[in-house]
Structures are given as C-alpha cells and as structure tokens.
Amino acid sequence: MPCHDIHVRTIVLWVLVGVLCHPAWADGLPDVKSPSAIVIDAETGAEIFSKNADEIRAIASTTKIFVAMAVRENKVDLESWTEITKEDAKCARGGSRTRLDVGEQFRNEDLLRAMLIASDNRAPSALGRACGLDPDALVAAMNEVAKRLHLTRTRFTDPTGLRGNVSTAREMALALRAALADDLLRGIMGDDFQEVVPKGRRHGIGYGTTNQPLVAKRYDVIGGKTGYTEAAGYCFVTAARIDDREVVMAFYGAEGKLTRFGDFNRVAEWIDRGAPGAKVSAKARVRRAPKLELEAHGRVAKSAE
C-alpha cells in the first residue's frame, strides 16, 4: 500500500479517536483511560498530572529509548555500516515483522531510524555490536543509563523490550526528556517517515512512525516511542509543544490500541484549556534533567523542530 494512503488512513483514525474519545472532565482533570500515566513539564520536570505514575510495569518497545542513549554514550559511529546477522534475528524472535534482512548492511544512523521510528527489533542488537557490545553488554549499558538518570525502578534484561524490562510512567517520561536533549535522537523521533537504503542497493526501505499524533499533526508533537506486548499492554511516551509549553506524556498498560492516543488527545485539550486542577504550574521551577555524556562520531542531524 502506498505510504500516502497509509498516512491518510492514520489521520482518519486519529480523527475518529478525537470524536469517539471526547474528553470527559472529572474535577477539571482529563479522563485518562490508561492505567498508568504522567505529564511533566519538559523544561523543569515539574509534575502536571499523574495517575499511578510510580506503578512498576512492563514497558515493551519503549525500551528502545534506552538502547539509543546507550549506543550514543558508547560512541556509535553514525556513518559506519553494520551487517544484520542471524544473532540479530534471534534477538528479535517473537516480535513484529522486520524489514532488516540478514546479510544486508545499513548505516548505523539508519539503524537508529529503523529502531526509533518503526521499532524494528533487529536494530538494537546490531547497534550494540557496532559499539562492540554483545546483547548482554548492551543490556548492562542500558541499566547504567538508567542508573545515571537516577531511575531506580527501571530494569532491563532484553534489548528489544519483547522479554522482560520494567519501569514506571514517571521514569519513562524522565527518560524521554533526557533522550530529547540529544539533537540527533530528537530529530529522528520527530520524523514521521524516513527511507533507509541498504548498502549496494538503489532503492530504500520506507519506515513510517508508529507515533499517531505525530502523523496527525493536530498538535506540535516533538517525538516519542510506542510499544506493545501482551504483558505490557499498549504503551506510549511522547513530547509535544502545547499552549507554548513543552510537555512529556507517558501512558502505560492500555488495553486498546487507540486508547493511548485518545489519552494524548484528552490531555492536550486539557492543557489547551489551561490545565485546570493541575498538581503544579507547568512553569514551576524544578532541577533540570541530568545530561548524559555523549560524543558523536559522524554526522549529527539537527533537530527536526
């Protein structure tokens, strides 16, 4: 199916979400359906809204935010090529369809795109190998990122998110906040479509984002990550600029595929209304997010804002 048709269908679905999930206000607060959720101010870290935000849950493919930060910390060479191997296929077993064929080579920056835009499960272990990290070492590096960000309830056992890995809505919102401080990752997660070209081939592979609000463009979505496994339910962590403020939202454990996007819509409309009943002002001053030590090798993309 042509990419244009896919995007049109996505926008139609998003409109239906807005109609069917019209906000119902309780004490002025948004009627968030996901079992765990949080909204924080991206600049200050101030908590604006929360619902079971510290409940430990499986996090599915939102795991890949940590893979991206870990390989950046380990100085992945963005311009080098990495071959997809049988080990990558093994790591991705049980996940959704991949488009990275065994034996094909891809630039590491394109592997980051495949992983963050469309959640390709063969990309994490390949990116780890590009940094000299086998899957176990990559998991250790991801846990080290969580430790440096003071995320005490976040634990990793697998680089894809298909097996294990837990965190909380609060800690995942803080993780995305840290990841978006990296212009490269911010730019990639802000793309709704990218084409990656295997080495020696003329035609590329098109990857469309799974971040539905980013495609719909009803709000100024900066970027984020979705996820789903049976254990985790439907997950979504994203950042957006709403009413001249940048916020990070996290929704975890939804039973329906569109629920998390409906929750985004309800929260965005609530903020547009001035966020009545918010825990604190979105402009309250709180300490800034800790910065990770990153040394970029190769070309670093600018923010897609």
Side-chain angles (χ1 to χ4, degrees):
M1 180 180 295
C3 175
H4 173 73
D5 292 345
I6 293 173
H7 280 203
V8 168
R9 289 180 61 191
T10 299
I11 292 170
V12 170
L13 279 173
W14 178 245
V15 171
L16 286 174
V17 168
V19 172
L20 297 175
C21 303
H22 188 74
W25 312 106
D27 299 325
L29 297 175
D31 184 20
V32 170
K33 306 295 186 183
S34 295
S36 295
I38 194 167
V39 183
I40 64 173
D41 184 274
E43 180 185 355
T44 67
E47 179 183 325
I48 302 169
F49 169 87
S50 68
K51 174 185 176 183
N52 301 322
D54 297 308
E55 187 175 279
I56 297 174
R57 289 184 162 273
I59 60 172
S61 282
T62 59
T63 287
K64 295 178 174 78
I65 295 168
F66 283 87
V67 176
M69 289 192 286
V71 300
R72 290 282 282 157
E73 274 198 343
N74 281 272
K75 304 174 185 177
V76 63
D77 188 333
L78 300 174
E79 292 299 322
S80 289
W81 298 82
T82 296
E83 183 174 333
I84 302 301
T85 67
K86 291 182 179 179
E87 179 66 22
D88 301 323
K90 181 180 177 181
C91 287
R93 192 171 298 156
S96 57
R97 174 177 173 264
T98 181
R99 304 185 70 187
L100 303 175
D101 291 337
V102 171
E104 296 274 25
Q105 295 183 47
F106 298 87
R107 290 191 190 277
N108 292 326
E109 187 170 350
D110 280 342
L111 289 176
L112 279 170
R113 291 190 176 101
M115 179 179 74
L116 293 174
I117 293 175
S119 208
D120 198 301
N121 287 307
R122 290 185 179 179
S125 55
L127 283 164
R129 189 168 59 258
C131 302
L133 304 174
D134 65 20
D136 288 342
L138 177 57
V139 167
M142 293 158 62
N143 280 314
E144 189 61 30
V145 170
K147 181 179 178 181
R148 278 198 289 279
L149 292 175
H150 310 293
L151 306 180
T152 60
R153 299 184 179 188
T154 301
R155 294 286 185 277
F156 298 104
T157 58
D158 169 74
T160 64
L162 294 172
R163 294 162 284 275
N165 300 348
V166 296
S167 186
T168 67
R170 184 186 308 279
E171 293 196 352
M172 290 307 300
L174 293 171
L176 180 62
R177 180 185 176 216
L180 291 174
D182 179 343
D183 283 347
L184 173 71
L185 302 184
R186 187 183 183 96
I188 290 174
M189 286 190 277
D191 281 337
D192 61 3
F193 181 85
Q194 277 289 346
E195 188 174 73
V196 305
V197 182
K199 192 171 187 178
R201 284 174 50 182
R202 289 185 178 181
H203 301 293
I205 301 167
Y207 281 101
T209 185
T210 54
N211 186 331
Q212 301 278 4
L214 177 62
V215 176
K217 302 188 186 305
R218 181 176 178 185
Y219 293 98
D220 182 9
V221 177
I222 295 161
K225 186 75 188 70
T226 63
Y228 171 78
T229 62
E230 186 174 344
Y234 290 98
C235 311
F236 183 40
V237 57
T238 195
R241 188 173 292 99
I242 303 168
D243 190 27
D244 294 326
R245 65 186 61 167
E246 194 171 306
V247 297
V248 181
M249 308 181 198
F251 306 103
Y252 279 81
E255 292 185 4
K257 186 173 184 178
L258 296 180
T259 300
R260 53 196 167 166
F261 305 133
D263 283 339
F264 172 91
N265 193 42
R266 284 182 280 269
V267 168
E269 290 184 8
W270 173 66
I271 294 173
D272 267 343
R273 295 173 63 242
K279 290 195 172 184
V280 295
S281 167
K283 295 300 183 183
R285 286 289 164 190
V286 180
R287 68 182 179 87
R288 292 181 178 274
K291 287 189 176 293
L292 297 174
E293 295 296 326
L294 298 174
E295 181 179 340
H297 283 218
R299 181 176 63 83
V300 178
K302 297 298 182 182
S303 170
E305 287 185 69

